[in-house]
Amino acid sequence: MTEPLIASFEDVWGDIITLCEGLTPEQWAAPTDCPGWSVQDNVAHMIGTERMLAGEQPSAPSDAGADAPHIRNDIGKANERWIASYRDWPGAKMLDEFRAVTASRLDALRALSQEDWDREGFTPEGPGPYRKFMEIRVFDCWYHDEDIREAIGRVGYLDGPVADLSIGRIPPKGLPYVVGKKAGAPPGSTVNFVITGSPEIVAAIEVPPEGRAVLLPAAPAIPTTTLTMDRRTFARLAGGRWSGAEARSKGQVKVDGDSDLGYRVVDNMAFTI
């Protein structure tokens, strides 16, 4: 049995390669919605993470980029070391490196047994099977693909298996925290998220009278608030790439019901590292 995530990596890494082929120096240097990073920095980050998973270390010193204003934790410091290691590379060489590193990682993933994919160990979300860790890697790469697309004006790649996997991770992983903690939705309230696209995603978060907010198995017919937005907007907000004000200025968010709660949720949707 072939692990389905291998096809996801082939898809997302192949899309990034196609996206970056022929970029001009100005496009490689273009700032992205990922704070502090250019298009090239996003690619360097992905290269660095895959090299780290292969047991390699960055060439930049341990304090490289550590004082950058967008750094908030040790993971951010580690990311900056890899980015600093590639900062002076021309774009075409960067893309060749990305091709080589991802090809090597695909070979390593294809060589894993079913037991390897099932084996419990570290993931950024706590202990879990290696499969869970690699699902997070697909999610991360898809987000950076989107960052590059936004920066160079080629919006897309919002449908299909990789986008479905990535967007589908957001409701259970982030929305209860967003609604209950960050937006402070009152006990007894429910927030429906309607994410348009193919397929449409509907996620409902309830704040019970006691305890933490939870993702409901089905959306209530009469929620306190309903937020309707497309996949692009949902991902940009959840990833901290757009503020609520930016999303509203683009006319990409519709709020029905309790508008104060709805806009408070939109303004607090960022939850990823």
Side-chain angles (χ1 to χ4, degrees):
M1 174 181 172
T2 301
E3 170 57 46
L5 282 173
I6 293 174
S8 296
F9 280 113
E10 292 171 340
D11 193 339
V12 70
W13 286 340
D15 192 79
I16 291 164
I17 290 168
T18 300
L19 193 60
C20 292
E21 287 175 337
L23 292 185
T24 65
E26 292 75 20
Q27 288 173 313
W28 279 105
T32 70
D33 291 331
C34 192
W37 288 2
S38 66
V39 168
Q40 178 158 328
D41 293 339
N42 277 267
V43 176
H45 160 65
M46 289 184 281
I47 292 171
T49 302
E50 298 310 319
R51 287 186 59 189
M52 178 271 293
L53 291 174
E56 300 178 50
Q57 293 294 320
S59 60
S62 59
D63 60 349
D67 58 350
H70 58 276
I71 301 302
R72 301 195 300 269
N73 50 43
D74 288 341
I75 293 176
K77 291 178 182 178
N79 289 338
E80 290 303 311
R81 284 189 68 193
W82 282 109
I83 289 169
S85 299
Y86 289 105
R87 182 143 284 141
D88 296 332
W89 284 38
K93 185 178 178 181
M94 282 286 300
L95 188 54
D96 284 341
E97 177 82 345
F98 184 82
R99 287 191 185 97
V101 169
T102 54
S104 177
R105 282 290 293 150
L106 279 171
D107 287 343
L109 292 171
R110 293 183 186 115
L112 295 178
S113 67
Q114 193 69 32
E115 291 74 20
D116 292 328
W117 285 97
D118 293 338
R119 185 170 292 118
E120 293 283 320
F122 166 83
T123 86
E125 297 176 352
Y130 192 68
R131 180 179 294 101
K132 177 181 177 182
F133 194 172
M134 293 301 98
E135 183 180 283
I136 296 168
R137 291 299 312 130
V138 171
F139 172 82
D140 183 67
C141 291
W142 177 80
Y143 249 105
H144 293 302
D145 180 293
E146 292 300 299
D147 292 333
I148 294 167
R149 285 180 172 277
E150 293 284 340
I152 64 175
R154 297 182 190 172
V155 175
Y157 199 39
L158 291 160
D159 299 295
V162 170
D164 290 348
L165 180 155
S166 301
I167 294 169
R169 285 183 53 82
I170 296 172
K173 301 298 180 183
L175 294 188
Y177 171 68
V178 164
V179 171
K181 183 72 172 180
K182 295 191 71 181
S189 61
T190 55
V191 178
N192 282 3
F193 292 81
V194 178
I195 315 306
T196 61
S198 180
E200 181 176 86
I201 298 170
V202 178
I205 307 300
E206 178 184 56
V207 182
E210 296 182 1
R212 296 180 177 179
V214 295
L215 177 67
L216 295 174
I222 307 177
T224 308
T225 301
T226 297
L227 304 176
T228 303
M229 63 193 81
D230 61 18
R231 285 179 164 216
R232 176 192 180 197
T233 304
F234 182 64
R236 293 284 94 192
L237 286 168
R241 272 57 171 181
W242 288 356
S243 67
E246 286 176 298
R248 289 193 294 275
S249 72
K250 300 173 189 290
Q252 297 299 319
V253 178
K254 180 185 177 186
V255 178
D256 294 301
D258 184 335
S259 59
D260 287 341
L261 174 58
Y263 287 126
R264 199 158 70 244
V265 171
V266 171
D267 287 339
N268 287 278
M269 273 188 61
F271 80 93
T272 59
I273 294 174

